[in-house]
Amino acid sequence: MWYLAKNWLHSFLSDRYQRVVVNGVQSSWFPVLSGVPQGTVLGPLLFFLIYINDIVLGTDSEIRLFADDCILYTQIRNSCYSESLQSDINKLHEWSHK
């Protein structure tokens, strides 16, 4: 069953192309190399639940996840809190590169 789901997801996310149309003038087609198709039912599930759900691992600050966004925050009571928040920001930065 997992093999079928994996193949289905692969075909859903691969071999996609897009172009831009402005005032009736069309660009060439270009491959879409990242992201999930917008306007689909599966898109938010893939993006939110699978793609960014591990972003909360290893952070000490509060983090809130939204459909296509997140907020990282904490109350700064002393310099240790600000150092911890900066550390979490650095972790998110490293996560984004992975």
Side-chain angles (χ1 to χ4, degrees):
M1 181 69 162
W2 168 245
Y3 180 75
L4 293 174
K6 181 180 173 186
N7 285 343
W8 185 80
L9 285 173
H10 181 268
S11 77
F12 180 71
L13 296 173
S14 61
D15 298 322
R16 295 180 295 132
Y17 292 84
Q18 67 184 13
R19 69 178 173 186
V20 176
V21 179
V22 177
N23 294 329
V25 178
Q26 301 174 355
S27 72
S28 300
W29 287 97
F30 290 94
V32 177
L33 303 176
S34 65
V36 295
Q38 292 184 347
T40 64
V41 173
L42 191 56
L45 173 71
L46 287 173
F47 184 76
F48 183 70
L49 295 178
I50 296 172
Y51 186 64
I52 69 166
N53 213 31
D54 68 338
I55 199 170
V56 300
L57 301 176
T59 57
D60 295 322
S61 304
E62 296 289 326
I63 189 165
R64 298 288 184 253
L65 300 177
F66 301 98
D68 63 351
D69 202 0
C70 73
I71 295 175
L72 181 74
Y73 64 96
T74 192
Q75 183 178 11
I76 305 296
R77 296 185 180 121
N78 58 44
S79 61
C80 291
Y81 286 88
S82 61
E83 291 170 10
S84 176
L85 180 60
Q86 184 60 55
S87 174
D88 287 341
I89 291 170
N90 295 342
K91 289 175 189 174
L92 292 182
H93 183 257
E94 291 171 17
W95 177 91
S96 71
H97 284 283
K98 290 179 185 175

